[in-house]
Amino acid sequence: MRDLNKLILLLFVLAFFSCKKDRNEIKDDSEIRDRYFNLEKIGWKSRQYIQKVDDIGFVATEVPIQYYLLKDKGKENLLVVDSLYEQNKRERIIEFTFQQDEEKDLLTKDFTGMDYTSAVKYMSFGLDRDFYVVTSKKDTISCSGVTFERSYKIAPYQKVLLFFSGIDPNDRIQLVYNDYLFRKGTLKFKFKDTYTKIAL
């Protein structure tokens, strides 16, 4: 009987400490929610840089990686999103949009000098070679990938997502685009602000 009482007491003590440990592990995500609220309030995509050459507008927009993490994971568990951000905070994503003044399809032969299928292939598989980033520390980072968002002639623009890796989240960057597709020369987009003041 005495051994049974000791066993029950031991189980009770273990259960008490394990519950206490679980309570300590649950973190308050209110600070994270505030940061996301502030980031959303100023506009996820508010830092756009536009250059116009002839009748084509080129728009570069740096989008915080948290935007895509929230789109994928949702807002229910911000601690998971925060953890993913910490693992990927050296990544940069830039939305790059091409648009003709009269909203004509830019992938036609009139603009690219190649047939439509070849232009689509170039946007999908060759465009990454045309972009690189120069950091405030004068490092040159090649584009690590491009995702071409096909609009199938519904939207009046062409949009790609550009991916860059290994960039300090505190670094300011300049995007350089050597335009071989439309033959408009070299365009530079200097991003003046970083998101570190309000990012996770």
Side-chain angles (χ1 to χ4, degrees), residues 1 7 33 58 97-98 102 114 142 147 158 169 175 188:
M1 186 70 145
L7 182 63
R33 285 191 186 283
F58 301 87
T97 306
F98 310 84
E102 297 173 12
M114 59 180 83
S142 298
T147 299
Q158 303 296 332
L175 177 69
K188 297 179 180 179

Side-chain angles (χ1 to χ4, degrees), residues 60-73:
T61 308
E62 185 176 6
V63 183
I65 197 162
Q66 299 96 317
Y67 173 80
Y68 295 103
L69 291 172
L70 281 173
K71 262 180 100 169
D72 185 50
K73 299 295 180 190

Side-chain angles (χ1 to χ4, degrees), residues 45-62 94-101 175 177 186-192:
K45 302 178 185 184
S46 62
R47 292 178 174 98
Q48 287 189 341
Y49 297 89
I50 301 168
Q51 288 196 35
K52 202 159 182 227
V53 182
D54 298 329
D55 61 344
I56 301 176
F58 301 87
V59 182
T61 308
E62 185 176 6
I94 297 174
E95 281 186 3
F96 199 84
T97 306
F98 310 84
Q99 184 168 357
Q100 199 271 338
D101 283 348
L175 177 69
Y177 173 45
T186 300
L187 290 86
K188 297 179 180 179
F189 302 83
K190 191 165 189 170
F191 293 91
K192 296 177 183 152

